Amino acid sequence: MTIKGKKIGFLGGGNMGEALIRGIVKTGIVPPQELFVTDVRLDRLEELSRTYGLHTLSDNALLVRRVDVVILAVKPQILKAVLQEIAPATPGKLLVSIAAGVSTTEIRRHLPAGTLIRCMPNTPALVLEGATALARGRDLAPGDLETAQAIFEAVGRVVVLEEEHMDAVTGLSGSGPAYIALVVEALADGGVKVGLDRQTAMTLATQTVLGSARLLLETGAHPGQLKDMVTSPGGTSIAGIHTLEAGGLRRTLIDAVERATLRSRELGRGEGK
């Protein structure tokens, strides 16, 4: 199965659904007239239709019947009800779930037909800089994985892993934008504290994070190499790094990824919903 000539449907038109739609339309891998979306909010459907020129529907099962690939982009709390609604329409369809913490085993309890891929994208997909992990399914037809990769590569970078690692992905890249947002905000606050105006501080902080990440990605350098590039003996950077180490930044970030991973596992088991 290849992406060209296939119809793609989105069950849910929220932020992540729109991010994928935007990437697909922008890259042109599928024309807007081959895209379909449902949502409980009629005003949201009107907005998506007006912005991207796609088809909107109010019936989830009807959407599934009309498309080849179904993106399950609803919240985990309502996924069960949606799966039960669409189950009769799923034979022969490729289904891609982006519901955090919900395993393919759990989905299969309510959705016996169709081939299934679980994935975890993140919110930078909204600006086509997403990080998405795809879990290899055991029931995939030839080309299914490549189809899913093509969709998510339209909004960023893709890795393929075993499903057992998806909670760790949730803890790192799924939750990671929140960690980075805190880092950027703190850096900007630091700039304000030492005399910069807020707008200038935020511009410098965000561009520094963006540029550093791109430098690491494009050069393949180890983060320690980037650190050493700007850390001279007795200089300003080493003084700042000393403060970060004393404050436990490294350990705190590691602990945050671990705790978010554990929470994803808890949610997957139905604990604390």
Side-chain angles (χ1 to χ4, degrees):
M1 184 178 186
T2 60
I3 195 69
K4 186 176 181 180
K6 300 297 180 181
K7 296 181 175 66
I8 302 176
F10 294 83
L11 297 181
N15 286 338
M16 193 55 64
E18 183 181 7
L20 293 170
I21 290 167
R22 181 184 302 169
I24 289 169
V25 171
K26 184 172 182 178
T27 57
I29 60 172
V30 174
Q33 59 266 30
E34 303 299 317
L35 299 177
F36 298 75
V37 63
T38 62
D39 199 273
V40 295
R41 300 162 296 171
L42 293 179
D43 58 334
R44 179 60 170 164
L45 291 178
E46 292 173 0
E47 179 185 359
L48 292 171
S49 176
R50 184 172 58 252
T51 303
Y52 302 105
L54 44 61
H55 300 282
T56 62
L57 297 169
S58 57
D59 187 310
N60 290 330
L62 178 59
L63 178 142
V64 174
R65 292 188 181 96
R66 288 191 177 182
V67 303
D68 305 291
V69 182
V70 181
I71 310 296
L72 300 170
V74 298
K75 295 184 182 301
Q77 297 91 325
I78 65 170
L79 181 60
K80 177 181 176 180
V82 171
L83 293 176
Q84 292 172 340
E85 180 183 355
I86 68 172
T90 56
K93 309 296 182 179
L94 170 60
L95 300 113
V96 182
S97 171
I98 64 174
V102 184
S103 69
T104 55
T105 299
E106 177 63 23
I107 293 174
R108 281 295 182 210
R109 291 176 183 161
H110 312 286
L111 193 73
T115 56
L116 177 64
I117 293 176
R118 178 184 172 190
C119 74
M120 172 50 63
N122 65 5
T123 52
L126 286 164
V127 291
L128 309 186
E129 291 291 352
T132 300
L134 301 177
R136 296 183 180 92
R138 289 177 290 181
D139 58 350
L140 298 183
D144 281 352
L145 186 60
E146 291 76 11
T147 295
Q149 284 180 280
I151 292 171
F152 288 93
E153 284 172 352
V155 294
R157 296 180 181 238
V158 175
V159 298
V160 180
L161 303 169
E162 300 301 328
E163 187 171 1
E164 64 188 80
H165 299 302
M166 293 302 280
D167 289 314
V169 171
T170 301
L172 176 55
S173 58
S175 301
Y179 315 153
I180 299 304
L182 283 176
V183 169
V184 169
E185 184 181 39
L187 288 171
D189 284 347
V192 171
K193 184 177 182 180
V194 294
L196 298 175
D197 66 84
R198 172 64 61 181
Q199 182 175 354
T200 297
M202 185 61 70
T203 298
L204 293 173
T206 53
Q207 184 60 36
T208 297
V209 171
L210 174 64
S212 299
R214 186 171 296 280
L215 183 61
L216 290 170
L217 282 172
E218 295 189 1
T219 64
H222 187 278
Q225 291 177 266
L226 174 57
K227 172 179 66 69
D228 290 347
M229 285 172 60
V230 295
T231 306
S232 55
T236 59
S237 296
I238 194 61
I241 289 170
H242 175 79
T243 301
L244 293 175
E245 294 287 10
L249 176 68
R250 186 191 302 265
R251 176 177 176 177
T252 299
L253 288 173
I254 293 171
D255 287 350
V257 173
E258 181 180 37
R259 185 63 192 93
T261 298
L262 294 174
R263 183 56 178 159
S264 179
R265 290 172 184 162
E266 291 170 359
L267 292 173
R269 294 192 297 264
E271 301 173 14
K273 286 188 178 181

